[in-house]
Amino acid sequence: MMTITASAITARTVALCLNPDGKARFFLPQKSHWTLYKTGEIVRSGETDRVITFIDCLDPATQYVFEVDTGESFTFTTAECAGRVDIREFGARTEATNNGAAIAAALASVPVGGTLAIPEGLWHTGPLFLKSDMTLHLEPGATLTFITDRDQIPILPAHTAQGDMLGSWEGLPDACYASIVTAIGCTNLEITGSGTLDGAGAEGDWWSWPKERRNGARRARTLFLNNCEAVTVSGITVQNSPSWTVHPLYCHDIEFVALAIKNPADSPNTDGLDPECCSDVLLEGIHFTVGDDCIAIKACKRGDDGSDDHIRPCEHITVRHCYMERGHGAVVIGSEMSGSVRHVTVEHCEFLGTDRGLRLKTRRGRGGEIAHVRCRNIIMQEVHSAIVANCFYFCDHDGRSEWVQSRAPYPVDASTPSIHDIEISDLVIRDVRVVIGAFYGLPEMPIRSVSINNIHASFDNSTEGDVPVMALHVPTCHHVGFSTEFAELNFQNEHEYFPLSIEKE
């Protein structure tokens, strides 16, 4: 029995969730043939191998019936559109080196509830600053690509005129270059289509200064949302990012559905999608292949001077039906988590070749908590270490100091981080090199209330191990079940995962 629901509907696109058994992950157990009807007539047909299926080029305010070959159907109606504005009508040309002015003029003319259309072709542009109550539609065959001349790219200051954080870098206020698509304080915004947003990271020199500044600013993201609400991003490919690829900061009620996020393996700090200090976020049906963490959930960090007026919680985050193919971590929480990261659910996903699977990281000085995290129904294959929680992460200039790395207890205060209430269940883990689980808590604040249930795991054929976490005083592990220090783990159904099976399913 196929269950069909809508994940995202815009005026011209839809993302549907096809779930035959309620437990499907990113790929369907078998391909499904589908047919799309309008007023009883067939208007489209195809096949899909994915749980989240995206369809472009629909008519606004129109009822459709989507039917699969097993007989189930789903009826939906696309949203209304107040008018489509084509960038070519304002002078945009594929041969132009920078269409920024033409596209900005087109964007300014989009009516409330209207659509800015990026048609087929390669369009070079500087940063676009979107507005509320509009849709940006990257149509089939369209590629919107960033210019590489930084002198033509504005710099976002660290703070707004009201004193709120605007530009940021690794959890602190900092000036940074504007992104090719930037939205600040927008509501009711949609970014959709089957086209591509290209950050031109390889074409510029962005990757040669990953931890530095140029002209007093940090590297650009590709899609940056700041203080936005009610935003849907669906269907598009986002690639070749100068740094973090998609970065929502201080946002509420946002969803990212059926995206492809792609960066070369050697591109530095090109995280896939980093919700920071956000609430009510959905990440669904996304295919990641990146140069750093696939998903990194963050909540800023305290400054060296103790400043914390910029930090806010990040909570109610759902990740499901995603495919993390390569990356340093599949789903990572921290290390910037001073505002606390709470109520995170990761379910029905597939991790292939990521260094770590689920990764929690913090250190003394961060404060805040990582709490109420659920990870279930996941397949991990060829991961370095499957599940890790590290309270000695040696980030920042003092990361290897005695204060950060000491196993002697320190006084508990507002700067003491905590990790607690973690539920891990129904995991299939194949070909692990180092460790199934590594949990390293602080002596003054142990990791607590970790529930582990129903894990089936096997090791790879490697002959050498490694340290499972980025911290000092950690033993090298090779084909280890669980390595712990100052951590409380509660195992359920222990016979199901220990001793670990060496059989392949």
Side-chain angles (χ1 to χ4, degrees), residues 383-385 432-436 459 465-468 477-481:
V383 296
H384 174 284
S385 298
V432 174
R433 176 187 166 202
V434 176
V435 67
I436 303 302
F459 297 123
D466 198 358
V467 291
C477 297
H478 182 235
H479 294 174
V480 171

Side-chain angles (χ1 to χ4, degrees), residues 82-145:
R84 175 184 179 273
V85 177
D86 191 318
I87 61 173
R88 293 172 296 190
E89 298 170 0
F90 289 79
R93 297 175 293 116
T94 55
E95 59 269 26
T97 57
N98 185 354
N99 286 291
I103 299 176
L107 194 157
S109 74
V110 174
V112 171
T115 297
L116 178 66
I118 312 296
E120 180 180 2
L122 178 64
W123 309 92
H124 289 86
T125 185
L128 308 180
F129 290 86
L130 303 184
K131 60 185 181 180
S132 297
D133 301 300
M134 66 162 288
T135 297
L136 173 64
H137 186 198
L138 294 168
E139 297 180 347
T143 297
L144 198 61
T145 190

Side-chain angles (χ1 to χ4, degrees), residues 350-372:
E350 303 179 30
F351 306 163
L352 174 62
T354 59
D355 290 350
R356 274 79 174 176
L358 176 66
R359 184 183 191 188
L360 316 181
K361 53 184 182 179
T362 184
R363 46 153 286 185
R364 290 187 180 104
R366 287 284 192 260
E369 64 179 1
I370 298 173
H372 307 293

Side-chain angles (χ1 to χ4, degrees), residues 143-146 180 196-201 203 222 237-241:
T143 297
L144 198 61
T145 190
F146 211 13
I180 181 173
T196 297
L197 190 61
D198 192 309
E203 288 69 38
T222 297
T237 294
V238 192
Q239 65 184 28
N240 199 13
S241 186

Side-chain angles (χ1 to χ4, degrees), residues 293-326:
D293 295 328
C294 296
I295 296 171
I297 302 169
K298 301 175 180 291
C300 291
K301 68 181 178 184
R302 286 176 168 79
D304 287 343
D305 59 358
S307 58
D308 61 3
D309 57 344
H310 60 288
I311 67 174
R312 302 178 193 173
C314 197
E315 53 193 358
H316 303 293
I317 315 296
T318 299
V319 179
R320 65 186 179 218
H321 302 305
C322 291
Y323 184 41
M324 291 71 163
E325 184 180 20
R326 189 170 45 75

Side-chain angles (χ1 to χ4, degrees), residues 336-358:
E336 303 96 307
M337 45 64 68
S338 296
S340 296
V341 178
R342 296 184 287 254
H343 302 291
V344 177
T345 298
V346 183
E347 60 186 2
H348 315 312
C349 293
E350 303 179 30
F351 306 163
L352 174 62
T354 59
D355 290 350
R356 274 79 174 176
L358 176 66

